[in-house]
Amino acid sequence: MPPTLDPDLRRALAERVRYCHEMGIYDFYRRGPCVSESHTVLSTGAELVDPSPTQEELRQEMAAKKSAVLTQPAVRNVFRVITPNSEEAVTDPLAALNLIREDLGPDCTRCKLHKQGRKQIVFGVGNPRADLMFVGEGPGADEDLQGEPFVGRAGQLLNNMIKAMGIRREDVYIANIVKCRPPGSRTPERDECETCSPFLMRQIAVIKPKVVVALGAVAAKNLLAMNAPMSELRGRFYDFIPSGFRSSDPSWQGTKLAVTYHPAFLLRDPRQKGEAWKDLQMVMRYLGLEPPKKPAE
Ligand code: URA
């Protein structure tokens, strides 16, 4: 019988795996046919002998990191055999996105949002080869009705922001951390984000954008797995590799990620639009984009 892991140890191992992912280590091998309850080995060199003290050590390590980490990946089995995703064999990004959409299924029931009033899955929209990708929080009422992200009031403002950058909505790709509307458009919960984000990671890995812009704190904290205020998250680029991504493509080893205010926040506090524009200008400089010339008055 396979040994069952203590939930705390499982959580600690999941955190260790995430840490390894951040260090660029993706593949883990289970040594030998059986893992005894008192001796667990990870290929990272972490050797866990006698679970009790090791759990305690891991717990302490985790407690120290807790303040810096908001989310943990949904790791169901840390010794899962890593199987390639269906889209990895496909070179056309539109076909690859379609495979991810198919994988999601017509009526995803992976998290509780499916029984909390969502009308449809809002997968994502735009150019499958976009250099620039925007990631929001989750669909609202308008998006839930239309099946497309950012089509309501916040979407109108996002469209204006994109236009101000000298590009069109069709040029970029737009998605959300969760693909189903949380009831009353509440903030998506951690388990919902963790369940849904692997699909977003796969979308990013297929599109291979040069820049991802996280719209608002929920998107930023989930993508970066950092719990910091917006004032600290904005104003710089992060190197971002979608978690689980294993590249055979030397031309894409990840993307830059920038954080700016969510358009819905800017609608509530328009004084912050100037700050958001600074974030977008940073992105434009990186992408070599010029704002459109204003027509002569
Ligand atoms: N807010 C979001 O975060 N995403 C949408 O798609 C719409 C509003």
Side-chain angles (χ1 to χ4, degrees):
M1 237 189 35
T4 46
L5 287 178
D6 168 87
D8 283 348
L9 178 59
R10 178 183 288 273
R11 256 193 301 282
L13 282 168
E15 181 59 27
R16 178 65 65 95
V17 169
R18 179 163 191 84
Y19 173 74
C20 292
H21 282 179
E22 284 167 12
M23 303 293 288
I25 300 162
Y26 290 99
D27 293 336
F28 299 91
Y29 302 94
R30 184 174 173 165
R31 188 182 290 172
C34 121
V35 178
S36 85
E37 279 182 42
S38 63
H39 194 135
T40 308
V41 179
L42 295 180
S43 71
T44 55
E47 187 162 328
L48 312 180
V49 185
D50 181 2
S52 319
T54 308
Q55 278 186 55
E56 188 46 40
E57 277 168 26
L58 285 168
R59 238 180 249 121
Q60 282 171 13
E61 187 184 325
M62 292 319 125
K65 286 182 72 181
K66 216 171 177 179
S67 62
V69 176
L70 178 79
T71 57
Q72 295 176 349
V75 178
R76 289 202 179 81
N77 179 355
V78 291
F79 298 120
R80 176 176 64 96
V81 175
I82 297 174
T83 46
N85 293 317
S86 51
E87 72 277 9
E88 285 176 33
V90 172
T91 49
D92 172 38
L94 179 58
L97 287 174
N98 287 338
L99 286 174
I100 301 171
R101 181 65 189 84
E102 263 173 37
D103 231 5
L104 201 51
D107 189 24
C108 176
T109 56
R110 290 174 182 80
C111 85
K112 58 186 179 303
L113 291 179
H114 80 278
K115 50 183 177 190
Q116 295 189 345
R118 70 114 204 258
K119 290 194 168 44
Q120 57 185 314
I121 295 167
V122 180
F123 182 66
V125 71
N127 180 355
R129 297 176 194 272
D131 282 344
L132 177 58
M133 182 161 172
F134 289 94
V135 176
E137 184 176 313
D142 296 306
E143 291 75 21
D144 186 44
L145 267 180
Q146 295 186 40
E148 184 172 325
F150 285 99
V151 290
R153 276 187 71 221
Q156 295 309 312
L157 181 53
L158 179 62
N159 289 349
N160 290 342
M161 290 157 71
I162 293 169
K163 204 165 158 195
M165 297 175 82
I167 48 180
R168 301 165 308 161
R169 181 176 164 104
E170 311 87 88
D171 297 327
V172 305
Y173 194 89
I174 307 173
N176 282 305
I177 296 288
V178 295
K179 301 193 186 307
C180 293
R181 183 194 183 199
S185 300
R186 65 155 166 76
T187 302
E189 290 171 3
R190 180 164 139 176
D191 59 311
E192 297 155 0
C193 296
E194 285 176 352
T195 306
C196 209
S197 67
F199 294 94
L200 175 64
M201 295 299 149
R202 288 166 64 184
Q203 287 170 286
I204 298 173
V206 159
I207 296 164
K208 300 183 171 55
K210 292 187 178 139
V211 179
V212 171
V213 174
L215 296 168
V218 171
K221 290 175 182 185
N222 272 285
L223 288 169
L224 295 169
M226 280 169 73
N227 192 9
M230 281 296 278
S231 54
E232 282 172 32
L233 292 168
R234 291 179 46 246
R236 54 165 290 200
F237 279 120
Y238 301 81
D239 289 319
F240 180 77
I241 299 176
S243 73
F245 173 69
R246 288 163 300 135
S247 176
S248 52
D249 174 2
S251 69
W252 197 81
Q253 293 300 319
T255 177
K256 296 286 175 201
L257 189 146
V259 175
T260 194
Y261 291 118
H262 194 288
F265 169 78
L266 295 174
L267 288 172
R268 291 195 298 275
D269 187 356
R271 289 168 308 173
Q272 302 303 326
K273 282 184 180 175
E275 290 300 300
W277 182 232
K278 283 185 202 160
D279 300 329
L280 297 183
Q281 282 177 309
M282 179 181 84
V283 171
M284 289 164 67
R285 275 193 298 278
Y286 183 78
L287 292 174
L289 294 173
E290 294 275 341
K293 303 249 175 315
K294 284 215 176 95
E297 288 177 17

